Amino acid sequence: MEPGARHSGCTVLVVEDNPGDARLVELYLIEDAATAFTVMKAALLSEALDILAQHRVDVVLLDLSLPDSFGMDTLDRLRAASPFVPVVVLTGTNDEELALKALRQGAQDYLVKGQGDGDLVRRAIFYAMERTNAAAALRRSESRFKALFANAGVGVVLTDADGRVVEVNPAFLSMVGYQADELRGGLLRDITHPEDQGLNEGLRGEVLAGTRDGFQLTKRYVAKDGRVVWAKLNCKVMHETDGDQPYTVTVIEDITERKRLEDNMRLAATVYENSGDGLFVTDANNHIVHVNPAFTQITGYQPAEVIGKNPRILASGRHDREFFAQLWGSLLENGKWQGEVWDRRKDGEMFAGWQNIAVVRDADGKLQNFVAVLSDITSRKQMEERLSYAANHDPLTKLPNRTLFHERLNRAIARAQRNHQLVALLFIDLDRFKQVNDTMGHLAGDMLLQQVAERLSGCIRQGDTVARLSGDEFTIILEDVQDPRDAAVVAHKVLRVMFEPVQLSAGEAHISSSIGVALYPTDAGDPNTLLKLADAAMYRAKNLGRNGCQFHSEVVNAQAFERLALENALRAAVADNQFLLHYQPIYDVKTGRAVAVEALLRWRHPEVGVVAPNQFLAVAEETGLLVPIGNWVFDQACRQVKAWRDAGADELRLHVNLSARQLRQPDLIERIAGALELSRLPPHALVLEVQESCVVDKSFDPTALFARLAALGVGLAIDEFGSGYSSFAFLRRLPVTIIKVSQGFVRNLATADDSEIVTAIVALARGLHMTVVAPGIESKAQLDLLVHFGCDTVQGFLLAKPGATDDVGALLGGKHVPAALQSQDHR
């Protein structure tokens, strides 16, 4: 039966070959009414073993002398078969030695037959059962302790009063790498780290002396393989049951990994707080959660000012969205990113920083934090820029040197190749520089070169390059060149500024320059050849008498200077007042009378006579000469129309064209107001015509300018209407009162498409309450159709050609009605 089991009754097996003795024992047991004994009997040991195998028996009363077994062998065989069933030996001999021997071999009690009564037998049975149950409980307790000791996750060591190891569990053996036999009887001090050997001696002495119950301690062991094992000890004193021989139980936890992590964290915290680089940590939503002191020192922001904020608080605005898109893409894909970032300090100063950003994820791979290391590299960048500047710039003039010149020329040609544009290279050599250097000294020569550099830099646009190659040789790289004549304009500007006297400390110096020009890709397809050709062209200019410019190509040379000659002539025309105005009347369809005149510019060239506008206006527009010319037109035309109004044409209005350059003229409003004031022409008598292409130009919004002109009181007309793409909504926003149909539609009225467009333009004007002017009329058929379509006013050679002031004045004074309009119904 299972050791220690409890039952409501008690089953007793009496093993006795003498029936009388067996019956007597049975009577002893059943006479006790308080206990329900069940008695089973066996005369042979073999029978008893069978019963034990098949039935639950609480106690065996065993006679040692049986027919099939004798003496102590009987007890041994029964104990071997049922080791946990208590046995009370019955013997007929009162032999004390035999009784002791039986007890040593596992019997719980010893009874002599014929001595004692039923109470004695029953007490022996109960005593045997209690002792067996107690032994079973002890065995279970020992078993649980051994299992706990052997399987504990922490080390457990038992030591005696002298500190010697009594027992160690497998966890501690695994911790230090020793076998149990190697440690038993030894001192734990022997495997303790030398620096920690004295730590727990005093504490252990206090525990054994009873002044304290136990102690805790952190120390190091040296494992068998030499590893250092950090351990946390929890030591308690224990006593044997008799109170003597105290021993200690020490629970030992391996904290080596924890200690390593703590040391690493402590080291990381020290590095974090004392690093010279700025460090900041953000959460998964990119909000700053921690910064170190170096971050504050670099950026100027205190922790409280940035905690919870997005790092974009540092943004300088120097990087575009594409930069940050690439940064985040690389960071989330690779888990890290590093690169140069320009940020802004709290005081607004920009600084260059080298950033290393890393992603931190938890054990499940979920994004937890971003950690950024920020190094201020502003000083290094400044040093690099200074070194780069020194390596790429001439120290005297501060211009790009030969190295940077070649780099810029290569880049310019690469861009021109992609964009199908021209690059012009000007090679400039100073005339008479050696003479200045020899007569006035090298210091004067250096000053001269510095002033030359300033003058050349003033001749170019932003994006072009002036470089000093060596000595008195300079180059200019012109990019985005539309026409070779543009290079000629710059070249002659250089010739002019180089010819002007140079003021030096040693006196006034006079020099000039010789310039050679080569074009990419017209003249050469690579930088070196282009430079050689420009150099050769420069020598040709020098051989032709200096103070001149020569293109590599003779054809280009002629074309460029033809245009340049025209520009110079225009400048002279402005200075010498060589312009005059012609006027072309605009007639009202209903009355047949002139209601307005359009001022048309003419150039009275001293050699070739009157030049038409289409031959010079484009050059005047490109060079900016149209602005002073336009100012002159306003003054003259306003004064003339005021005179005609005073002479009887009191409703006459003046139409003046405005170019794209004039629309961008900063003082346009002031110039118009000044002309009206000087001439005393009423503002409503002036109509400004602006081409539709200027109105729809995306680079220029005329809304504000038109509003100011309307506030001035002048009329506004859209010229060449229908040739562009102006929308109905855009036209409604402008204070325009007149639409002037594109002359191309008037010339092609015979086609159905153009006649429909004119009809639509008239309908649009009617819807917007605008007046329609039809210009360029050259035939009676055109006039009839335009009148039929509903045009309000007409203009063209059929009605009156542009004429000089006196001729137009005669028409106005005579109230002249053109013949083509006389047939119209003027009621």
Side-chain angles (χ1 to χ4, degrees):
M1 81 177 186
E2 187 69 21
R6 296 286 183 177
H7 302 279
S8 56
C10 182
T11 299
V12 179
L13 173 60
V14 179
V15 185
E16 173 62 64
D17 61 334
N18 186 322
D21 289 342
R23 177 59 180 165
L24 179 61
V25 172
E26 181 180 10
L27 292 174
Y28 284 157
L29 296 179
I30 62 176
E31 71 181 7
D32 182 11
T35 305
F37 284 102
T38 299
V39 179
M40 302 177 73
K41 292 182 286 186
L44 301 171
L45 178 62
S46 58
E47 292 179 2
L49 295 180
D50 289 340
I51 293 172
L52 287 171
Q54 299 176 25
H55 299 278
R56 179 185 64 80
V57 175
D58 295 313
V59 178
V60 176
L61 296 180
L62 177 65
D63 184 3
L64 295 178
S65 299
L66 298 172
D68 58 350
S69 183
F70 179 78
M72 297 305 297
D73 183 58
T74 304
L75 177 62
D76 290 341
R77 290 173 61 189
L78 188 139
R79 290 279 296 157
S82 298
F84 300 115
V85 178
V87 178
V88 177
V89 173
L90 293 175
T91 181
T93 306
N94 188 5
D95 186 342
E96 185 175 341
E97 183 177 349
L98 179 63
L100 290 174
K101 190 173 182 180
L103 292 174
R104 289 193 188 100
Q105 291 187 210
Q108 296 296 335
D109 208 344
Y110 183 92
L111 296 177
V112 179
K113 297 178 184 179
Q115 293 183 2
D117 53 13
D119 289 338
L120 180 62
V121 174
R122 288 192 294 273
R123 282 199 301 274
I125 290 172
F126 291 142
Y127 174 72
M129 291 178 63
E130 287 176 0
R131 287 195 62 187
T132 298
N133 289 339
L138 180 60
R139 286 194 298 272
R140 288 195 299 272
S141 177
E142 288 177 351
S143 176
R144 286 195 294 268
F145 172 76
K146 288 179 179 179
L148 178 64
F149 186 80
N151 297 290
V154 293
V156 182
V157 178
L158 277 66
T159 56
D160 61 19
D162 296 326
R164 297 193 176 277
V165 176
V166 175
E167 192 59 74
V168 293
N169 74 335
F172 184 76
L173 295 175
S174 176
M175 194 184 303
V176 296
Y178 286 96
Q179 298 296 320
D181 292 342
E182 296 178 288
L183 297 181
R184 288 194 186 100
L187 298 172
L188 288 180
R189 176 187 178 89
D190 297 337
I191 63 170
T192 299
H193 192 282
E195 296 178 4
D196 296 345
Q197 287 179 350
L199 287 179
N200 61 335
E201 295 300 326
L203 295 172
R204 190 172 182 281
E206 293 179 20
V207 168
L208 293 174
T211 58
R212 62 190 308 161
D213 295 331
F215 65 87
Q216 291 184 349
L217 183 69
T218 299
K219 61 182 287 187
R220 289 167 290 179
Y221 292 108
V222 178
K224 188 174 182 179
D225 60 5
R227 291 178 297 109
V228 174
V229 179
W230 280 92
K232 182 178 181 181
L233 282 62
N234 193 332
C235 183
K236 293 286 187 181
V237 68
M238 306 293 287
H239 290 274
E240 299 287 356
T241 54
D242 57 7
D244 294 333
Q245 293 298 320
Y247 62 95
T248 56
V249 177
T250 305
V251 177
I252 304 170
E253 180 184 2
D254 186 349
I255 62 169
T256 305
E257 182 63 18
R258 185 197 309 171
K259 181 70 175 174
R260 185 187 67 81
L261 292 175
E262 289 176 354
D263 290 344
N264 287 345
M265 290 178 63
R266 190 178 301 106
L267 177 61
T270 302
V271 172
Y272 187 88
E273 293 300 321
N274 296 282
S275 172
D277 293 329
L279 292 99
F280 62 95
V281 181
T282 71
D283 59 18
N285 297 318
N286 205 27
H287 294 140
I288 297 174
V289 296
H290 194 75
V291 299
N292 72 339
F295 175 90
T296 298
Q297 185 176 0
I298 292 172
T299 67
Y301 286 100
Q302 295 297 323
E305 295 176 301
V306 295
I307 298 298
K309 303 287 183 61
N310 190 292
R312 72 169 64 97
I313 191 175
L314 302 174
S316 64
R318 188 164 176 170
H319 303 289
D320 56 18
R321 289 185 178 181
E322 183 179 355
F323 171 85
F324 288 105
Q326 292 177 350
L327 183 156
W328 280 103
S330 175
L331 182 60
L332 296 177
E333 180 179 353
N334 304 319
K336 59 184 179 180
W337 179 89
Q338 65 176 0
E340 183 180 306
V341 179
W342 281 90
D343 285 326
R344 195 177 296 276
R345 306 186 207 276
K346 182 181 178 181
D347 61 7
E349 178 190 2
M350 283 181 41
F351 70 96
W354 184 264
Q355 287 196 24
N356 283 273
I357 308 175
V359 175
V360 179
R361 299 183 183 275
D362 62 15
D364 298 326
K366 183 179 179 182
L367 194 151
Q368 293 287 98
N369 300 97
F370 297 100
V371 178
V373 180
L374 171 62
S375 303
D376 187 348
I377 61 171
T378 308
S379 299
R380 190 183 79 193
K381 290 289 291 182
Q382 291 171 344
M383 178 61 71
E384 289 175 355
E385 289 173 0
R386 285 195 293 268
L387 292 174
S388 175
Y389 186 89
N392 292 288
H393 288 78
D394 171 43
L396 177 64
T397 63
K398 309 305 180 186
L399 293 177
N401 60 12
R402 183 181 292 272
T403 302
L404 185 55
F405 160 75
H406 281 289
E407 182 182 325
R408 297 253 181 106
L409 182 59
N410 277 281
R411 286 208 304 261
I413 288 177
R415 281 193 293 267
Q417 186 177 22
R418 288 195 302 269
N419 301 326
H420 305 289
Q421 294 175 329
L422 296 176
V423 173
L425 177 61
L426 281 64
F427 198 108
I428 305 162
D429 185 82
L430 302 183
D431 304 325
R432 297 189 298 276
F433 172 73
K434 186 176 184 301
Q435 180 181 352
V436 173
N437 216 25
D438 293 342
T439 58
M440 304 180 72
H442 292 291
L443 180 59
D446 289 347
M447 293 178 63
L448 173 63
L449 291 175
Q450 290 173 338
Q451 293 200 36
V452 166
E454 291 181 9
R455 293 185 182 187
L456 291 177
S457 299
C459 294
I460 63 171
R461 306 160 301 176
Q462 185 176 5
D464 296 332
T465 297
V466 176
R468 182 190 179 197
L469 297 190
S470 64
D472 60 346
E473 292 181 340
F474 296 82
T475 57
I476 294 178
I477 303 171
L478 299 177
E479 298 192 53
D480 300 330
V481 175
Q482 304 300 321
D483 189 279
R485 291 174 293 185
D486 297 336
V489 171
V490 176
H492 272 257
K493 188 184 295 184
V494 170
L495 291 175
R496 284 197 303 273
V497 299
M498 291 296 102
F499 196 73
E500 296 174 359
V502 182
Q503 300 298 325
L504 304 173
S505 59
E508 188 175 82
H510 295 270
I511 62 169
S512 61
S513 58
S514 297
I515 305 173
V517 184
L519 301 172
Y520 168 87
T522 308
D523 298 329
D526 66 275
N528 290 331
T529 305
L530 195 67
L531 181 60
K532 290 178 182 178
L533 296 181
D535 187 22
M538 181 274 294
Y539 276 107
R540 191 165 67 248
K542 194 176 282 289
N543 292 333
L544 289 174
R546 302 185 179 185
N547 191 29
C549 174
Q550 286 290 308
F551 279 76
H552 166 70
S553 169
E554 294 293 343
V555 175
V556 173
N557 203 66
Q559 293 174 344
F561 289 110
E562 178 184 346
R563 194 263 195 188
L564 194 59
L566 177 60
E567 180 187 334
N568 291 335
L570 271 175
R571 294 183 186 280
V574 173
D576 299 339
N577 195 20
Q578 296 175 6
F579 297 101
L580 73 155
L581 290 178
H582 280 188
Y583 299 90
Q584 185 176 27
I586 300 173
Y587 294 92
D588 184 283
V589 171
K590 293 180 179 179
T591 65
R593 300 297 178 86
V595 293
V597 291
E598 181 179 358
L600 302 171
L601 183 65
R602 299 292 185 266
W603 179 10
R604 189 170 46 209
H605 195 282
E607 296 177 4
V608 299
V610 176
V611 182
N614 61 350
Q615 294 179 287
F616 67 87
L617 278 182
V619 176
E621 175 83 1
E622 293 173 12
T623 59
L625 291 173
L626 196 56
V627 171
I629 294 173
N631 294 336
W632 176 85
V633 169
F634 276 122
D635 291 340
Q636 295 296 318
C638 288
R639 189 179 298 116
Q640 182 58 61
V641 171
K642 177 62 168 68
W644 283 331
R645 287 172 66 94
D646 291 344
D650 50 0
E651 297 298 325
L652 189 68
R653 303 181 77 186
L654 169 65
H655 284 230
V656 178
N657 287 283
L658 285 178
S659 70
R661 177 66 70 91
Q662 286 176 291
L663 287 173
R664 290 170 171 80
Q665 183 180 341
D667 61 344
L668 177 64
I669 303 293
E670 290 75 11
R671 296 296 304 184
I672 295 173
L676 291 172
E677 184 177 357
L678 287 173
S679 65
R680 297 186 180 180
L681 181 69
H684 69 269
L686 176 62
V687 177
L688 302 176
E689 294 187 5
V690 179
Q691 287 195 357
E692 184 185 27
S693 59
C694 297
V695 174
V696 298
D697 186 356
K698 292 182 179 180
S699 64
F700 175 71
D701 185 358
T703 307
L705 176 63
F706 276 30
R708 293 183 64 194
L709 290 171
L712 184 62
V714 302
L716 293 170
I718 301 297
D719 192 14
E720 290 293 323
F721 188 82
S723 60
Y725 302 93
S726 56
S727 67
F728 178 73
F730 183 71
L731 196 60
R732 287 186 61 187
R733 296 206 315 267
L734 299 176
V736 175
T737 56
I738 299 172
I739 289 179
K740 204 167 186 179
V741 180
S742 174
Q743 293 192 42
F745 298 138
V746 175
R747 282 194 298 270
N748 300 308
L749 278 178
T751 64
D753 288 343
D754 286 357
S755 62
E756 289 176 358
I757 291 175
V758 174
T759 303
I761 291 173
V762 173
L764 173 64
R766 290 287 178 267
L768 296 176
H769 307 290
M770 295 179 182
T771 301
V772 179
V773 179
I777 300 173
E778 298 179 352
S779 69
K780 186 66 166 62
Q782 291 173 343
L783 176 64
D784 292 342
L785 282 173
L786 290 167
V787 172
H788 173 70
F789 292 153
C791 293
D792 301 296
T793 55
V794 289
Q795 180 185 15
F797 281 11
L798 177 67
L799 308 173
K801 294 182 179 181
T805 302
D806 293 341
D807 296 335
V808 175
L811 291 176
L812 296 176
K815 307 293 183 181
H816 173 71
V817 176
L821 286 175
Q822 291 177 3
S823 60
Q824 302 296 325
D825 184 4
H826 303 313
R827 292 173 297 175

